[in-house]
Amino acid sequence: MTHRIDIQAVSKAFGAFKAVRDVSFSLAEGEIVALVGHNGAGKTTLIKLMLGLIRPTAGTVRVLGGDPAADPAVRARLGYLPESVSFNPALTGRETLAFYAALKRAPHGQVAELLERVGLSQAADRRVRTYSKGMRQRLGLAQALLGAPQVLLLDEPTTGLDPALRRDFYGFLDELRAGGATILLSSHALSELEGRADHIVIMGQGVKIADGTLDELRGIARLPTRIRVRLAEGEERRLEGDADWRPVNGHMLEIDAAPEDKLALLRAAVGARIADLDVTPPTLDELYAHFQDRQREAGQ
Ligand SMILES: Nc1ncnc2c1ncn2[C@@H]1O[C@H](COP(=O)(O)OP(=O)(O)OP(=O)(O)O)[C@@H](O)[C@H]1O
C-alpha cells in the first residue's frame, strides 16, 4: 500500500519540553485517519510537522514521498484547515477564496467551483462577517481544497458545527476520500468519529498510546460489550444459566459481556422469550478513557 504520510520515530522538543516523543504512524491513500487526544497531547505539533512548518528533533516525516520542511512542491500538494480559522470579515467569500488561490498559485477557476462544492455559491458575494460559523468552516474547507491537494490536514474541523452541519461535513469528506484524497483530522469529538474514521491514532502527553481501526482498538482494549434484553410479557425476571444479569428499570436485564462470553450470553438471551435486545459495543469515548488510564498506570 502506498503511504501518503509516513511518520517514523518522530520526536519534537521545544527547548527542554518534549511535545512529541517517538511517534510512528502512517496514512495510506484514500484513508480518513483521526488523531485524537486531550488538550496539549501533541496533535497540532504533529500536524505542523506534516505541514513542514517545523522540523522534528528526531525521526523522519515523509509526506507524498518527500520532506515537507525542505520541499515546497510537497507543501503545494497539501491542504490545511487550521483549528481556528479566521478570515477578513470585510471581504466576501469569493474575494477571500480568490486571495488564497493567488497565494497558493491555484487556478482562479477553482474559486467558483469550490464555492459551489461547499454549498456557498449563493452567499459567495456576501461579506464573511455575515456568515454563520458553519459557513465560515465551509469557506475554510474550500480554502484547504484549493490546488486539489492529495492530502488534507484538518485541525478540529467540526468544532462549533451543529449536528446537521457535522453530518454534511463528514459526507463531504467521504466524497473527497472516494476521489482518492487522504484525510487526517484531529478531534476531541470522539463519538462523532465512530464509523467515519478508517483508522484512529490516540495521543496522550506527546506519546502515541494506541493506533488501529475501531475494531482493532476494541480487540486490544477487551472492554465488555453491554447486552440488554427486555423480556416478553409474563416471562420470569431471570435468564437461564446465568445469575449475573442485572435487573434494569424493573422490566429489563443487562450484563457486561467479556469478548469471549459475548456469543454464549447472546444465545442465552435469544433462547428466552424476549421482546427486545440491545447490544452496545464499547464506544470510542470508553476506549479512549481506557487507553488513557492504561498510560497513567504505566506512569508515562
Ligand atoms: N512553540 C511551542 N513552544 C513551546 N511549547 C509548545 C509549542 N508548541 C506547542 N507546545 C507545547 O506542546 C504541547 C503539545 O501542544 P499541541 O498544540 O501539539 O497540543 P494539541 O494536542 O494540539 O492540543 P489542543 O487539543 O489543545 O489543540 C503543549 O504542552 C504545548 O504547550
Side-chain angles (χ1 to χ4, degrees), residues 15-300:
F17 179 73
K18 291 182 177 154
V20 168
R21 284 177 286 152
D22 197 21
V23 169
S24 302
F25 62 87
S26 49
L27 273 71
E29 189 175 321
E31 203 176 28
I32 298 185
V33 174
L35 187 59
V36 305
H38 56 76
N39 290 118
K43 305 179 300 290
T44 304
T45 304
L46 282 168
I47 290 181
K48 285 183 180 165
L49 286 161
M50 294 177 223
L51 287 166
L53 295 175
I54 53 176
R55 288 173 187 270
T57 315
T60 52
V61 177
R62 308 282 296 171
V63 177
L64 296 161
D67 175 358
D71 187 352
V74 168
R75 290 198 293 274
R77 290 154 72 203
L78 290 177
Y80 173 48
L81 179 62
E83 185 174 353
S84 26
V85 38
S86 63
F87 297 115
N88 182 339
L91 295 182
T92 65
R94 192 186 308 282
E95 286 164 350
T96 305
L97 212 52
F99 168 75
Y100 284 99
L103 272 185
K104 287 191 172 179
R105 299 199 171 85
H108 187 76
Q110 279 188 0
V111 172
E113 186 189 309
L114 284 172
L115 286 166
E116 171 79 40
R117 184 128 190 239
V118 299
L120 284 178
S121 287
Q122 301 295 317
D125 297 310
R126 266 168 52 189
R127 291 188 201 285
V128 171
R129 97 158 47 90
T130 69
Y131 281 17
S132 69
K133 169 82 189 167
M135 291 164 87
R136 277 174 219 218
Q137 206 67 355
R138 278 185 277 160
L139 186 59
L141 189 61
Q143 168 278 125
L145 291 172
L146 282 164
Q150 289 160 311
V151 171
L152 276 172
L153 304 175
L154 312 175
D155 203 352
E156 307 274 350
T158 57
T159 309
L161 299 188
D162 68 34
L165 283 175
R166 283 175 189 219
R167 226 182 10 256
D168 285 356
F169 182 82
Y170 283 110
F172 193 53
L173 293 192
D174 281 340
E175 281 175 31
L176 293 169
R177 169 178 45 189
T182 297
I183 302 167
L184 178 111
L185 56 111
S186 86
S187 185
H188 291 291
L190 303 188
S191 51
E192 72 183 48
L193 293 169
E194 286 178 38
R196 288 177 166 140
D198 301 307
H199 189 135
I200 298 148
V201 176
I202 304 183
M203 293 289 297
Q205 292 169 359
V207 180
K208 185 181 86 171
I209 54 179
D211 177 3
T213 63
L214 194 53
D215 279 347
E216 285 165 350
L217 294 180
R218 283 186 178 133
I220 300 167
R222 300 188 38 76
L223 292 178
T225 291
R226 180 156 300 173
I227 304 173
R228 189 178 268 202
V229 295
R230 186 152 57 84
L231 295 169
E233 226 25 67
E235 186 74 356
E236 263 194 79
R237 294 276 169 263
R238 58 185 289 278
L239 283 176
E240 209 174 315
D242 202 306
D244 293 334
W245 291 85
R246 300 182 292 273
V248 183
N249 296 346
H251 60 289
M252 286 188 284
L253 291 172
E254 181 183 272
I255 195 163
D256 293 328
E260 62 276 16
D261 300 334
K262 190 172 67 180
L263 285 178
L265 286 164
L266 276 170
R267 281 195 199 100
V270 293
R273 284 183 54 240
I274 57 172
D276 204 0
L277 171 76
D278 275 323
V279 180
T280 317
T283 63
L284 188 50
D285 276 308
E286 288 165 336
L287 289 167
Y288 176 60
H290 166 85
F291 286 114
Q292 270 200 318
D293 288 349
R294 222 173 57 168
Q295 188 199 24
R296 231 172 273 130
E297 281 159 20
Q300 280 185 302

